[in-house]
Amino acid sequence: MWRGIDMDDQELYEIRLRKLDELRQRGIDPFGHRFEPTAHAGDILARAGDQTKEELEAMDWRVRIAGRMMIRRGHGKASFAVLQDVSGQIQIYAKVDVLGQDSYEVFQLLDLGDIIGVEGPVFRTNRGEITVLVERLTVLTKSLRPLPEKWHGLKDVEVRYRQRYLDLMVNPEIRETFIARSKIIQAIRRYLDDRGYLEVETPTLHTVASGGHARPFVTHHNALDMELHLRIALELHLKRLIVGGLERVYEIGRVYRNEGISTRHNPEFTMLELYEAYADFHDIMDLTEGMIRHAAEAVCGKLQIPYGEWTIDLERPFARRHMADLVQEATGIDFRAVESAEEAHALARQHGVAVKPGMGYGHVLNEFFEQKVEATLIQPTFVYGHPVEISPLARKNAEDPRFTDRFELFIVAREHGNAFTELNDPIDQRARFEQQALEKAGGNDEAMEVDEDFLTAIEYGMPPTGGLGVGVDRLVMLLTNQPSIRDVLLFPLMRERAED
RNA sequence: GAGCCAUUAGCUCAGUCGGUAGAGCACCUGACUUUUAAUCAGGGUGUCCCCGGUUCGAGUCCGGGAUGGCUCACCA
């Protein structure tokens, strides 16, 4: 088990234990009780910001604050310290002739990292710093381990991920990212709630993990002696609710995919899926565009946002391009005129596009798209018209049944959404599942499973429906300008530390 | 899964040609009643990631391993 910093060398730990004993001997509980702050550091700084030293003095404004002691500057019979709470940091000033000899000695026993409560008037020092004078000191929690360094903070990414609380404690900008994450999800909820969507929760334990292309995690229910899969998508349960007549539903929930880890992949991640009866994928494009703008405004306050080396313009209408057109622009090949898989494979050889033997027309087109086009899609682009072979849950296009009424949204060359006019023909759906089963038998681990229960549901009749899936973590990465998914997950999955 | 890189004090880092480990902060002792990366005097607190090998001698060179990062593969 990972036991964090400072276990091999116990000296700093033992020094703090001695101070803990000293507190107890003085009748002070080092792990204190309820405390009721009257203000946060940020509020005090905001309110006192305009007041002069004299005005503050005249106000006789008393506050009670609680927080972690991050910095201390002792001056003998007086001390400055910095207290940090959720809103930020504020300086406090303790001196013996205000606090009394006993309490001042207790103050001097404190370590960086201890959590204390402080009560007294707000004043401004000669150097202009808003400060709380400590008239009463309450020890709330003794900290037994040393804090990372005050000036350089905590940089070791491994410790930052494994011990995120330390990261949050000493790297204040990290907190901003997670506040932004919360705001983004809040904005999505508000956007959908305002449009008559119902938020629902569906099972994460599935007998068949379907609705997406991914290997599942497998687990077991003892009482029922039943193999279960953690869900890889929300799709099929939400569509059952459309069958049931709920008309507009969404879920924001965790899905699990038993796959590799990268800067864009974590085995568990948060997915938004929504379904709207009587809509099609054009409606869903409009909805997606509006929703992302709404979230961006909520968290960035503007629609031209930085991401890495780029500035992404979310204000201009998102481009809407057919996959075959994009491939034609990039390579000169008109895939609509390609007649057979053999012809497609020949073109792949000519153009240096890697394909696997046995791939059909649609798979090859998709490889052309992924290898020749995807990396160029920096500004928001809806790519639509995916081949039917790679889209087993999407409705076929009425004019050209090789394609589907499906789109993916690309921004910064990454997929930020996947949507389609849902396939609601149960006979076609069964055929598509069977095609997937063939692919699976042929060695494609990620091909979709047949879900009989879902087929039964849509045999009762699912209205024409538009649906969307969005990887929330990637959207948060985009809107917070973070290069790695681990920087938008509080606790990314890490390999277990070996016992030493 | 493959390649490249990293791992030295609690934290952030330096460490030359292979000669027995060092700075700042933190910490400890002392001084200091408006400081603010407080200051001043003194103190180094270490499994140099682990295991082997080469060598008179390894933080340093070689091999293997662990963990992490990046890239690729995988993955819609």
Side-chain angles (χ1 to χ4, degrees), chain A residues 323 335 338 340-341 344 359-369 385-390 402-403:
Chain A
M323 184 183 280
F335 255 87
V338 172
S340 66
M359 276 184 167
Y361 163 87
H363 283 110
V364 174
L365 169 56
N366 187 52
E367 291 298 328
F368 268 88
F369 170 75
H386 295 61
V388 66
E389 293 97 316
I390 61 165
R402 294 177 297 176
F403 303 116

Side-chain angles (χ1 to χ4, degrees), chain A residues 69 154 161 357 412 434 468:
Chain A
M69 194 168 78
L154 180 65
Y161 295 151
V412 299
E434 282 165 0
L468 169 70

Side-chain angles (χ1 to χ4, degrees), chain A residues 247-495:
Chain A
E247 292 195 1
R248 293 184 182 198
V249 294
Y250 75 96
E251 179 168 4
I252 296 172
R254 206 66 64 84
V255 299
Y256 306 85
R257 296 187 176 184
N258 205 340
E259 285 159 2
I261 294 175
S262 78
T263 49
R264 292 166 296 282
H265 301 84
N266 194 66
E268 54 177 311
F269 61 100
T270 300
M271 185 92 107
L272 159 70
E273 287 196 28
L274 64 85
Y275 293 85
E276 177 171 332
Y278 312 116
D280 68 9
F281 77 124
H282 294 292
D283 301 313
I284 300 298
M285 282 190 207
D286 296 339
L287 182 82
T288 305
E289 207 168 325
M291 185 175 74
I292 289 178
R293 275 197 199 110
H294 182 68
E297 261 161 5
V299 75
C300 309
K302 59 180 191 224
L303 292 174
Q304 286 72 35
I305 60 163
Y307 190 82
E309 60 190 287
W310 302 302
T311 298
I312 304 304
D313 187 356
L314 298 171
E315 186 163 25
R316 208 165 34 183
F318 295 6
R320 303 185 180 201
R321 309 297 312 281
H322 196 283
M323 184 183 280
D325 293 335
L326 288 168
V327 168
Q328 186 166 14
E329 274 171 31
T331 65
I333 302 167
D334 178 8
F335 255 87
R336 288 189 178 85
V338 172
E339 299 280 333
S340 66
E342 290 69 34
E343 194 182 341
H345 277 268
L347 289 165
R349 274 193 300 279
Q350 279 170 33
H351 287 80
V353 170
V355 293
K356 287 183 192 140
M359 276 184 167
Y361 163 87
H363 283 110
V364 174
L365 169 56
N366 187 52
E367 291 298 328
F368 268 88
F369 170 75
E370 289 187 359
Q371 293 174 48
K372 297 293 186 187
V373 180
E374 208 175 285
T376 68
L377 301 177
I378 306 305
Q379 296 297 327
T381 306
F382 289 114
V383 176
Y384 66 93
H386 295 61
V388 66
E389 293 97 316
I390 61 165
S391 312
L393 300 167
R395 186 185 181 94
K396 282 176 193 155
N397 182 261
E399 277 85 53
D400 190 338
R402 294 177 297 176
F403 303 116
T404 57
D405 288 344
R406 171 185 178 187
F407 73 78
E408 289 179 303
L409 172 59
F410 286 88
I411 310 174
V412 299
R414 289 208 282 259
E415 184 200 328
H416 279 80
N418 179 26
F420 19 96
T421 304
E422 304 297 334
L423 176 55
N424 67 340
D425 173 346
I427 295 159
D428 190 3
Q429 183 66 76
R430 179 176 293 280
R432 305 275 197 98
F433 274 148
E434 282 165 0
Q435 183 58 39
Q436 288 289 307
L438 283 178
E439 284 195 21
K440 194 161 191 121
N444 182 351
D445 281 349
E446 287 83 28
M448 221 171 268
E449 302 258 356
V450 181
D451 187 334
E452 285 293 342
D453 190 68
F454 171 69
L455 285 169
T456 301
I458 65 171
E459 281 165 5
Y460 283 94
M462 181 172 79
T465 296
L468 169 70
V470 170
V472 172
D473 313 278
R474 289 186 184 176
L475 180 61
V476 175
M477 286 167 69
L478 177 74
L479 297 182
T480 59
N481 193 15
Q482 293 296 325
S484 170
I485 197 169
R486 294 181 204 101
D487 293 318
V488 301
L489 296 168
L490 282 166
F491 299 101
L493 183 69
M494 302 288 277
R495 197 182 297 267

